[in-house]
């Protein structure tokens, strides 16, 4: 908190770290302020109890003719892993929970078939034994079967046909996204015993977006069954602009769509957010935005982006652009089924990348209110995204050059993906806040001069305990995140004398330099 005082009283400063976000130079051309909203009947929408935002693009929508399949995985459990699976069927790489070897929730197999899903809360036909919002859904089991057996989208439709039997059914309702190596790309909206198929190539722009409702579902259902409308609309807008610009690529999806923090009421398309978000019944702290209804949510635990092949290309050339952990603190890297493994950073008792990203995300969201956007980016260029996003871009560009190299060999895939994952993990681990702000100090007077005295910083900041020194700032107004005021001095000790302290009082802050 900020406490303004007069010259005869102790002076306090705010407690925060000042860190900000790098927006790629061309990102703003993809982001607009005008967000149209989907209307389903007269239903009010609830968006913070729902799971996952997904997208499917046919080759018609991408600059290289390769289909794309995307899923922001929003779940309660933050431990996430990618596994290479070969149980005698078609080998595949799948995304799942830590140490779960039975159920998979997104993936690509060696035949170039890919699948993911999201919950659909406005479909009928739920198994009566399922418990409202969840119960015991069979989506992981269904997708594990599909990845080990399907070569085409039609093969997956055959699985759905078999489950339509009244004696079998599905225990919950889902939107499944799929593509194959032969031009197939379709979404299936599935209730307990029926489904509706939507082919991406039949759409005007060649792609489909889904959140947590089905277009074939009940448009008059109660609020508990229609969810994620803003996430759908926002993603639809971002993908539409990318298609129009010829830029719908895995890189765009990650750096623009996956990490989007714009909610229906709060336009945080430009970061850091330089305002106090007024929610009506409360005002959020400066620069902090809520993330319960955004595409990148507080429950986003991992991301899957599958990139298929153009018709006629080898099916096993499909690639997963994989991410574990919340996108706030993670980097995506490539995985190939043809490599025959996944790096240990994605599957070794615990995904190292996931663990590191979890720690970073918790630091950025330290106040447990939302996202502190000033910890993501900074005009000084020393925020989390300032550091991570250029590294992510570099890894992506290196991968493209590697694949297009005249000396490329499939035998190099495993080594390349392992190096990329290790470099991503090491880079995430290497980032540290440059400084931290302390309010634990005392103001006294000596010889008519104001003296600030504080204890040596003992707080661990991502592994660093010993400070390099301290910067002292002064301002006539309260400090807000991202504002420093006038730099008075840099000192190595824990004492500073302001010989020119203003007679009317001032605000001070001390930055601990690591």
């Amino acid at each position: 908190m900020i406490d303004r005082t007069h010259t005869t009283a102790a002076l306090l400063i705010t407690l925060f770290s000042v860190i900000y976000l790098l927006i790629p130079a061309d990102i703003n051309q993809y982001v607009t302020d005008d967000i149209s909203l989907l209307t389903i009947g007269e239903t009010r929408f609830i968006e913070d109890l729902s799971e996952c935002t997904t997208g499917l693009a046919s080759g018609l929508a991408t600059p290289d003719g390769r289909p794309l399949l995307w899923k922001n995985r929003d779940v309660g459990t933050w431990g996430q892993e990618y596994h290479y699976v070969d149980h005698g069927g078609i080998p595949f790489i799948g995304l799942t929970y830590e140490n779960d070897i039975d159920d998979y929730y997104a993936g690509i197999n060696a035949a170039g078939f890919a699948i993911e899903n999201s919950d659909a809360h406005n479909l009928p036909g739920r198994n009566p034994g399922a418990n409202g919002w969840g119960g015991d859904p069979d989506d992981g089991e269904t997708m594990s079967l599909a990845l080990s057996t399907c070569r085409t989208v039609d093969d997956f439709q055959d699985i759905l046909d078999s489950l339509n039997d009244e004696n079998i059914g599905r225990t919950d309702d889902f939107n499944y996204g799929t593509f194959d190596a032969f031009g197939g790309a379709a979404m299936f909206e599935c209730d307990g015993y029926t489904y509706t198929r939507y082919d991406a190539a039949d759409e005007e722009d060649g792609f489909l977006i889904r959140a947590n409702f089905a277009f074939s579902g009940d448009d008059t259902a109660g609020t508990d069954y229609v969810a994620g409308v803003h996430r759908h609309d926002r993603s639809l807008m971002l993908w539409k602009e990318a298609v129009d610009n010829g830029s719908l690529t895995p890189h765009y999806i990650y750096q623009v769509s996956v990490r989007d923090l714009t909610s229906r009421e709060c336009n945080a398309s430009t970061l850091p957010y330089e305002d106090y978000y007024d929610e009506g019944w409360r005002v959020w702290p400066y620069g902090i935005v809520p993330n319960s209804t955004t595409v990148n949510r507080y429950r986003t635990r991992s991301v899957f982006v599958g990139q298929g092949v153009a018709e006629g290309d080898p099916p096993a050339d499909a690639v997963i652009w994989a991410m574990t952990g919340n996108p706030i603190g993670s980097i995506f890297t490539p995985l190939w089924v043809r490599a025959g493994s996944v790096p240990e950073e994605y599957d070794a008792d615990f995904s190292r990348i996931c663990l590191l990203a979890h720690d970073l995300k918790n630091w950025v969201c330290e106040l447990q209110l939302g996202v502190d956007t000033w910890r993501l980016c900074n005009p000084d260029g020393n925020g989390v995204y300032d550091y991570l996003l250029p590294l992510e871009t570099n890894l992506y560009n290196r991968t493209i050059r590697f694949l297009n190299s005249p000396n490329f060999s499939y035998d190099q895939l495993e080594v390349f993906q392992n190096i990329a994952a290790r470099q991503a993990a090491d880079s995430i681990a290497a980032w540290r806040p440059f400084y931290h702000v302390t309010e634990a100090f005392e103001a006294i007077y000596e010889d008519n001069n104001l003296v600030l005295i504080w204890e040596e910083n003992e707080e661990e900041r991502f592994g660093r305990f010993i400070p390099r020194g301290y910067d002292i700032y002064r301002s006539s107004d309260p400090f807000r995140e991202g504002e420093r005021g006038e730099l008075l001095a840099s000192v190595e000790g824990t004492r500073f004398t302001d010989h020119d302290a203003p007679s009317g009082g001032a605000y001070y802050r001390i930055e601990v330099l690591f």
Side-chain angles (χ1 to χ4, degrees), residues 237-482:
M237 185 187 74
L238 293 174
W239 279 43
K240 166 65 174 171
E241 294 185 354
V243 170
D244 289 346
N245 289 321
S247 60
L248 187 61
T249 65
H251 183 262
Y252 174 93
I253 291 173
Y254 267 106
Q255 296 215 341
V256 178
S257 186
V258 163
R259 291 184 170 94
D260 188 72
L261 292 172
T262 297
S263 60
R264 183 181 297 167
E265 298 83 8
C266 181
N267 181 11
S269 59
T270 300
L271 300 178
Y273 184 67
E274 300 184 70
D275 203 350
Y276 297 92
Y277 171 57
D278 186 348
E279 200 170 13
W281 59 279
R282 67 171 171 179
V283 178
W284 292 68
Y286 183 78
I288 293 180
V289 298
N291 64 335
S292 63
T293 66
T294 52
V295 176
N296 183 16
R297 302 173 65 211
Y298 69 97
R299 289 169 59 90
T300 301
R301 309 299 189 180
S302 57
V303 184
F304 165 87
V305 175
Q307 185 176 32
V309 298
E311 290 188 69
D313 289 343
D317 284 358
V319 58
I320 295 175
W321 301 96
M323 175 181 283
T324 53
N326 188 280
I328 282 175
S330 195
I331 297 175
F332 73 88
T333 70
L335 302 176
W336 291 274
V337 181
R338 191 191 286 267
S341 69
V342 297
E344 64 179 17
E345 285 77 12
Y346 287 106
D347 177 23
D349 290 331
F350 198 92
S351 165
R352 181 183 174 216
I353 292 177
C354 186
L355 179 62
L356 292 166
H358 182 69
D359 288 344
L360 257 186
K361 179 253 186 182
N362 285 346
W363 182 75
V364 172
C365 304
E366 189 173 42
L367 296 180
Q368 301 300 311
L369 295 172
V371 179
D372 188 339
T373 63
W374 289 85
R375 293 191 175 193
L376 289 178
C377 61
N378 183 335
D380 291 338
N382 54 24
V384 175
Y385 279 179
D386 291 321
Y387 176 75
L388 291 185
L389 297 193
L391 288 170
E392 183 175 84
T393 298
N394 178 267
L395 277 173
Y396 177 76
N397 291 337
R398 282 169 48 200
T399 304
I400 300 304
R401 290 195 300 270
F402 163 70
L403 294 173
N404 293 331
S405 169
N407 299 319
F408 171 78
S409 168
Y410 289 118
D411 294 337
Q412 301 169 335
L413 289 179
E414 183 176 24
V415 172
F416 186 93
Q417 72 176 18
N418 290 350
I419 291 174
R422 184 170 67 250
Q423 289 179 343
D426 289 347
S427 296
I428 297 170
W431 188 86
R432 299 289 187 274
F434 278 75
Y435 46 78
H436 188 63
V437 177
T438 181
E439 64 177 7
F441 73 95
E442 178 184 4
I444 64 174
Y445 288 89
E446 293 180 356
D447 299 327
N448 209 30
N449 292 316
L450 175 67
V451 179
L452 305 179
I453 302 173
W454 60 94
E455 295 183 1
E456 184 169 283
N457 186 81
E458 296 180 353
E459 183 180 1
E460 185 267 340
R461 304 304 298 175
F462 291 88
R464 295 183 183 177
F465 289 89
I466 302 175
R468 293 185 290 111
Y470 304 87
D471 283 347
I472 292 82
Y473 293 86
R474 185 180 66 194
S475 174
S476 59
D477 297 308
F479 288 97
R480 299 185 303 182
E481 192 74 76

